[in-house]
Amino acid sequence: YLCSEFKNSMKTGSLVPLLSTSTLFLLNLQESVAFTSFKTVTKSVPPSYCDLPQLSFSSTSLFAKQKKKGGGAKKKQKDQKKSGFAWASSFALKPFESSSLRELASFVCASFEGRTGKPLSEELKGTPDLPKALWNAPVACVVVVNGAEKEQEGISAANSIVQYANIAALETFGFQPDQFDQLISSKDPESGEWKTPQNDVAKGLNFPSSMNGDNIYQSDYKKKVLRADPDISIKNAHRWRLEKSSLIGGKFVTESIGVAYAWNSWLEGEDTLCRPGGFREVKMDTAELEQKIKTQGEAIRELKEVQGFGNKDKQVVDAVQELLRMKALLEEVTSSSQ
């Protein structure tokens, strides 16, 4: 229709009314639009349009866009959002989602079963997703590797580095599942340097990253793995050497990649036995505890009456704090046994 009208307009010289009519026609179709800018453009109409000879003309083009509803607020929200790249950069994969740690978790489970003939945990039997099952297993598991091959800032070559830890291991040291980056170190693929967590727990961990001699597996391992307040000790734990064999120059070469540790319970201080899932049990005889309280009270009197320390001196303050701790523990033991 517009093409035929255009031909007639060219013959009669009434091109401008036609453009005005066409413009009004378009405006009627776009009642919900708001005009935001005007621009004069020059267009070249090819011969295929309405079979007219090629010509040039100037017309006014109206640029419109849909009305905004609350546009100011949306723009502000959009500006506050991170770009896709920034969001992806800040996103950290969980240990059972990372391809490298999934491979390590599967290797840990396979190596333990190879050493002992049984799975690390009953929950791991027949699971379709072994790395995820180990992550949630009711047994703590940690893998430590040798320190940096060369000295780097904050890390000695003799230090052990935690490369893997599951939820139960994080719980042992007071971390939540989403705080795995507070315990697990990461290695830069280009420089080969380790990025280690800079907190007191991570710095104070004591897991040897090697096993001496031919000892490749131990089932009754015990050690104070963190000196803090309170200390953390593991007993009757498993530890085994992680080794990989590869064919180099026609010969199989075995390489040690670290040591794995696993435990079902741990001790906080000297008297609180803990297990994964928040289970805590005070292990102390009340008679023995009462005797310790009596001895501590005598020690405080000696500090004040014999050695001449005052109530505000550090020696007395520390001794009183220990006495109060033991009294609170006695109360806890007594109430739990009733």
Side-chain angles (χ1 to χ4, degrees):
Y1 168 77
L2 290 176
C3 289
S4 62
E5 289 295 317
F6 194 85
K7 286 181 179 181
N8 295 333
S9 300
M10 291 294 294
K11 292 178 180 179
T12 61
S14 57
L15 177 60
V16 173
L18 172 64
L19 291 176
S20 301
T21 302
S22 302
T23 302
L24 291 173
F25 173 72
L26 291 174
L27 286 175
N28 288 332
L29 293 178
Q30 301 291 335
E31 291 179 353
S32 62
V33 300
F35 296 104
T36 58
S37 61
F38 298 85
K39 181 179 179 182
T40 300
V41 296
T42 301
K43 294 183 179 179
S44 177
V45 181
S48 59
Y49 288 171
C50 311
D51 298 327
L52 293 176
Q54 188 169 353
L55 57 97
S56 297
F57 65 91
S58 295
S59 65
T60 300
S61 299
L62 304 178
F63 293 86
K65 58 184 178 180
Q66 190 173 1
K67 288 183 179 180
K68 294 181 181 179
K69 295 182 179 180
K74 288 185 178 179
K75 184 176 185 302
K76 187 176 181 180
Q77 291 177 0
K78 183 177 179 182
D79 292 339
Q80 291 175 348
K81 289 182 180 179
K82 291 183 178 181
S83 67
F85 179 78
W87 176 84
S89 300
S90 63
F91 181 74
L93 292 176
K94 294 179 180 178
F96 67 87
E97 297 171 330
S98 163
S99 59
S100 60
L101 292 185
R102 284 181 62 85
E103 181 181 355
L104 179 60
S106 297
F107 180 67
V108 166
C109 295
S111 63
F112 180 85
E113 193 161 354
R115 304 287 191 202
T116 65
K118 57 184 180 181
L120 183 58
S121 174
E122 291 297 318
E123 286 74 11
L124 304 181
K125 282 185 176 180
T127 176
D129 192 340
L130 192 57
K132 189 172 183 179
L134 179 60
W135 170 251
N136 294 294
V139 56
C141 183
V142 161
V143 175
V144 296
V145 296
N146 293 327
E149 295 179 359
K150 59 182 180 179
E151 197 85 9
Q152 67 182 77
E153 185 178 357
I155 304 176
S156 166
N159 284 356
S160 59
I161 296 172
V162 176
Q163 189 176 11
Y164 176 86
N166 66 353
I167 290 179
L170 293 171
E171 181 185 351
T172 301
F173 301 106
F175 294 119
Q176 296 298 317
D178 60 352
Q179 294 179 302
F180 56 87
D181 58 351
Q182 298 297 306
L183 195 63
I184 300 177
S185 300
S186 58
K187 191 174 186 179
D188 187 289
E190 296 183 359
S191 66
E193 293 188 348
W194 287 96
K195 181 181 179 181
T196 60
Q198 298 300 304
N199 59 72
D200 293 339
V201 172
K203 292 179 178 180
L205 287 178
N206 185 13
F207 284 102
S209 59
S210 62
M211 297 177 68
N212 298 327
D214 298 329
N215 187 17
I216 59 175
Y217 171 77
Q218 188 176 353
S219 61
D220 57 349
Y221 185 72
K222 60 181 180 179
K223 187 175 183 61
K224 185 174 290 186
V225 292
L226 178 65
R227 294 186 180 276
D229 185 19
D231 296 336
I232 304 296
S233 303
I234 56 176
K235 293 183 178 181
N236 300 319
H238 303 272
R239 73 165 178 162
W240 64 103
R241 189 185 302 170
L242 297 177
E243 296 176 329
K244 277 190 176 181
S245 297
S246 56
L247 187 63
I248 301 178
K251 296 181 179 180
F252 278 101
V253 178
T254 300
E255 176 188 8
S256 176
I257 61 174
V259 177
Y261 293 81
W263 60 92
N264 295 304
S265 61
W266 62 95
L267 201 61
E268 288 187 358
E270 298 179 357
D271 40 47
T272 305
L273 183 66
C274 306
R275 293 190 299 275
F279 296 99
R280 298 168 63 85
E281 181 181 356
V282 176
K283 288 289 187 181
M284 180 167 286
D285 181 72
T286 55
E288 179 184 355
L289 186 53
E290 288 172 349
Q291 181 59 43
K292 286 189 174 183
I293 291 174
K294 182 180 178 181
T295 303
Q296 185 69 11
E298 293 174 352
I300 293 173
R301 282 193 295 272
E302 182 181 355
L303 285 172
K304 297 171 65 175
E305 298 174 3
V306 178
Q307 300 185 35
F309 291 105
N311 290 333
K312 294 185 179 180
D313 289 326
K314 186 177 185 305
Q315 292 85 342
V316 176
V317 172
D318 292 345
V320 170
Q321 288 296 324
E322 178 63 15
L323 178 62
L324 294 175
R325 186 192 72 82
M326 289 192 289
K327 285 184 176 181
L329 183 58
L330 177 62
E331 183 179 352
E332 183 180 349
V333 173
T334 304
S335 60
S336 63
S337 61
Q338 291 177 351

